[in-house]
Amino acid sequence: AYSDLYSKFKAYEQQLEQKKGTYQEKLPEIEKSITLVQHLKTKKDNDEKVVTRYNLADTIYSKAEVDCSQGIVNLWLGANVMLEYTYDEALELLKGKQEVAKKDYKDVTEDLTFTRNQIITSEVNISRIYNWDVRQKREAQRASS
């Protein structure tokens, strides 16, 4: 029973590790997006244009001049979906996603700590049962000799 429990905890630990890795990749991307939208908003307020380089292919880049005066940015939402937002709407959306991602990351980290503690407890219990069984066999061997 403890071996089955141990196996389940190890599988759950792997799932949590994958989720944690996903959040570790996701959070910096959200923060970059927030910084970029704030930069665009600042440039719009100052009536400036932004000159940037963007990736056309793996090794090919091109220059582009971004017109910030319209106050519109397109965000990838996932599943090949891109929507147009105003800067304020985009910031609101991104900050909301950031809060949720930070909370979920914290929850996953706490769950991972709990799961690791349970794995250690299971390992200790398995070794205690094994040692008890070894002692019982030795006593039975002594009694029969």
Side-chain angles (χ1 to χ4, degrees):
Y2 277 109
S3 294
D4 290 341
L5 189 62
Y6 175 78
S7 298
K8 289 177 185 176
F9 279 130
K10 287 302 274 185
Y12 187 56
E13 179 187 33
Q14 279 185 325
Q15 289 176 351
L16 290 174
E17 284 287 351
Q18 288 174 348
K19 281 185 182 180
K20 185 176 179 181
T22 301
Y23 286 119
Q24 285 175 332
E25 291 174 12
K26 193 178 194 180
L27 278 168
E29 289 297 322
I30 293 172
E31 289 168 4
K32 282 183 198 174
S33 297
I34 289 172
T35 304
L36 179 62
V37 172
Q38 287 172 336
H39 178 70
L40 291 173
K41 186 176 179 183
T42 303
K43 294 294 183 181
K44 176 189 175 222
D45 293 342
N46 296 336
D47 289 331
E48 296 178 32
K49 293 190 184 244
V50 176
V51 177
T52 185
R53 289 177 26 170
Y54 65 95
N55 195 357
L56 286 174
D58 288 340
T59 58
I60 302 172
Y61 290 86
S62 180
K63 263 188 179 176
E65 189 174 289
V66 180
D67 182 16
C68 302
S69 65
Q70 295 187 7
I72 294 173
V73 67
N74 293 312
L75 296 179
W76 283 105
L77 298 180
N80 294 326
V81 175
M82 179 185 269
L83 287 179
E84 191 175 88
Y85 291 96
T86 64
Y87 293 151
D88 292 329
E89 290 172 336
L91 284 172
E92 184 181 326
L93 175 74
L94 290 169
K95 286 180 180 179
K97 284 187 174 229
Q98 183 184 35
E99 287 176 23
V100 169
K102 282 182 178 180
K103 180 193 170 296
D104 289 347
Y105 179 76
K106 181 180 173 245
D107 291 345
V108 165
T109 304
E110 289 172 359
D111 288 348
L112 196 53
T113 302
F114 174 78
T115 303
R116 287 185 178 147
N117 287 336
Q118 294 305 308
I119 288 171
I120 292 168
T121 302
S122 297
E123 289 171 341
V124 168
N125 287 334
I126 289 169
S127 67
R128 285 180 179 168
I129 290 170
Y130 177 78
N131 291 338
W132 177 83
D133 187 45
V134 168
R135 273 190 249 117
Q136 293 299 322
K137 287 180 182 176
R138 284 184 188 159
E139 288 176 16
Q141 210 174 34
R142 283 187 204 140
S144 66
S145 340

